[in-house]
Amino acid sequence: MKRLTVNNKEAYDILFAGDFGGLGNEFNSEYKDKKIMLIFDSNTEIYKDAVSKELSDVFGEVHTFTFTAGEKNKNLDTVMDIYEAAIKAHFERKDLFAACGGGVCGDMTGFAAATYLRGIKFIQIPTTLLAMCDSSVGGKTGVDFRAYKNMVGAFHQPSLVYMNMKTLLSLPDREYLSGMGEVVKYGYIYDSSMLDIIKDNFSAIKHKDERILSELIYRSCDIKRIIVEQDPTEKGVRAILNFGHTIGHAIEKLMNFKLLHGECVSLGMVAAGRISVNRGLISEDDLTDMKKILQALDLPVSLKGADANEILAVTKNDKKMEKGKVKFILLDSVGKAVIDHTVSDEELLSGIREVLND
Ligand code: GLY
């Protein structure tokens, strides 16, 4: 089983497994007098028995909690339900939570763990491609607040990330492929050789070939590891991980979450790509190539029924603003991102119009 170690203040391992069988081995006898709360959503509840079985010998007590899947439940109400379940089961500061699901589950469980009794440990058991290659690593936790995505949160590093690649097999194709948006992102911001692997393996990727997926997820996590080790709390370089997310988040919100996160990141990358072309940083051919890669993975590169000025207004309302300027991620070249604070409204509009085909 492959393993990476993230060397933040408290180091933790990322395990790349093909089943849940090795999970229990990650906990020594000290855990025998601790409890763990396994938190599922209504889609990932199917793993309840398998995960509970692996942990029941190593933990003193295994409890479970399930919430209804979906971004609309990623809020403080669900977090309060988690607190209540933990209080009723007498969870103390030495006990743990475990997020068994996708990005919503991981972010919310992490936030509940960061705040319950002023902070308890938690582990990530990501079951979607997006969670495996991005959100389960790096300790960003949080919930949406009213109309504001991820507005309330905390940095709280997991103690372990354990992924069972087989969980990807039961994901609906659209949800699975939307996670590829994040994988493509790593190719553009950090390592263009990942794009070559993707281009050579479109069919294998679409068929969820375990070998190619393990390779891409491992490489994505390794890039994320390198970045979050340098900058765990996004004071600097970590912001490059937001490539495609600034305009992407605005579209996600305006479309009322009808588009999946990775689909919006795909649109956001095309928009950021256009701004990078206009600045002479990458070529028109590079942008065409980006669109071809995304389309080959069934990811959207254009959007109908949205208004450019509305997307601009929501983009500028995003929390990624510094001194009134949008902190924007551009491509310096294919495989290298830069953080820029000078992108004008006109430039943002040119990027937005690229996806609206105006
Ligand atoms: N998902 C971006 C980050 O973890 O910084």
Side-chain angles (χ1 to χ4, degrees):
M1 196 187 321
K2 279 191 180 172
R3 183 185 292 261
L4 281 171
T5 302
V6 183
N7 283 303
N8 282 140
K9 206 159 74 192
E10 285 186 40
Y12 58 94
D13 285 353
I14 308 172
L15 269 82
F16 302 84
D19 54 39
F20 289 120
L23 182 57
N25 298 338
E26 296 305 306
F27 301 92
N28 60 23
S29 56
E30 280 172 29
Y31 287 85
K32 201 70 199 157
D33 69 347
K34 300 185 201 300
K35 305 183 206 315
I36 190 162
M37 173 85 67
L38 309 179
I39 300 176
F40 299 90
D41 67 32
S42 42
N43 296 328
T44 61
E45 223 185 355
I46 49 172
Y47 304 117
K48 198 191 257 181
D49 291 346
V51 178
S52 305
K53 181 169 158 279
E54 289 307 322
L55 297 179
S56 57
D57 286 343
V58 276
F59 281 87
E61 286 177 31
V62 177
H63 295 258
T64 63
F65 174 93
T66 301
F67 65 93
T68 308
E71 182 82 24
K72 69 176 188 311
N73 298 307
K74 184 180 168 182
N75 56 38
L76 292 171
D77 288 336
T78 313
V79 171
M80 286 196 283
D81 291 342
I82 296 173
Y83 295 151
E84 188 158 342
I87 292 165
K88 281 192 177 144
H90 306 288
F91 269 57
E92 298 174 13
R93 198 175 282 144
K94 65 179 171 51
D95 300 322
L96 287 84
F97 291 164
C100 311
V104 168
C105 183
D107 285 9
M108 193 158 54
T109 302
F111 181 66
T115 47
Y116 182 73
L117 294 177
R118 298 197 178 84
I120 66 169
K121 287 185 174 176
F122 82 114
I123 66 169
Q124 290 271 17
I125 306 176
T127 60
T128 64
L129 187 53
L130 173 109
M132 287 181 189
C133 68
D134 187 25
S135 61
S136 66
V137 176
K140 270 191 184 175
T141 76
V143 292
D144 302 336
F145 177 69
R146 303 205 168 130
Y148 304 95
K149 192 171 160 63
N150 294 335
M151 187 47 83
V152 177
F155 284 102
H156 188 53
Q157 304 298 334
S159 310
L160 172 74
V161 181
Y162 186 100
M163 46 190 92
N164 166 6
M165 304 284 160
K166 293 258 171 17
T167 59
L168 297 175
L169 299 179
S170 53
L171 282 185
D173 284 351
R174 183 177 164 207
E175 187 179 352
Y176 158 69
L177 281 171
S178 82
M180 282 304 296
E182 298 286 349
V183 180
V184 172
K185 173 192 81 179
Y186 288 107
Y188 277 99
I189 63 168
Y190 202 87
D191 179 3
S192 60
S193 72
M194 280 182 73
L195 301 173
D196 299 326
I197 300 178
I198 294 170
K199 283 191 225 170
D200 288 342
N201 290 283
F202 284 133
S203 170
I205 291 169
K206 286 179 114 170
H207 289 95
K208 300 183 181 169
D209 176 85
E210 195 168 326
R211 189 193 56 80
I212 189 71
L213 278 177
S214 305
E215 166 84 9
L216 289 172
I217 295 169
Y218 182 87
R219 290 176 71 135
S220 299
C221 286
D222 202 26
I223 295 171
K224 183 141 188 191
R225 174 191 69 74
I226 293 165
I227 293 170
V228 300
E229 280 180 357
Q230 289 172 61
D231 180 18
T233 55
E234 203 173 302
K235 303 258 189 315
V237 67
R238 183 169 178 165
I240 66 169
L241 294 169
N242 297 327
F243 176 60
H245 285 61
T246 312
I247 290 176
H249 270 170
I251 294 173
E252 196 170 356
K253 186 168 163 188
L254 278 170
M255 298 305 286
N256 261 323
F257 299 99
K258 281 203 255 319
L259 286 179
L260 300 175
H261 176 73
E263 294 170 337
C264 297
V265 169
S266 174
L267 294 164
M269 286 196 287
V270 173
R274 165 50 64 202
I275 301 171
S276 308
V277 173
N278 290 353
R279 286 202 176 189
L281 299 168
I282 62 167
S283 70
E284 201 67 52
D285 285 351
D286 291 332
L287 180 58
T288 305
D289 201 42
M290 179 196 284
K291 290 187 189 177
K292 280 191 188 147
I293 294 174
L294 295 168
Q295 283 174 308
L297 297 167
D298 295 343
L299 288 162
V301 297
S302 64
L303 178 69
K304 288 202 177 4
D307 178 80
N309 285 306
E310 243 186 307
I311 298 177
L312 175 68
V314 177
T315 301
K316 293 183 71 183
N317 219 355
D318 192 271
K319 63 186 184 306
K320 289 180 203 78
M321 297 277 286
E322 270 179 11
K323 298 194 187 99
K325 280 280 185 191
V326 177
K327 181 160 52 160
F328 204 84
I329 313 305
L330 295 172
L331 294 179
D332 201 28
S333 58
V334 173
K336 186 167 185 292
V338 281
I339 304 167
D340 191 284
H341 293 92
T342 65
V343 176
S344 65
D345 288 4
E346 288 68 34
E347 286 180 293
L348 289 172
L349 278 171
S350 72
I352 294 166
R353 290 203 177 105
E354 179 74 24
V355 294
L356 298 184
N357 293 326
D358 277 2

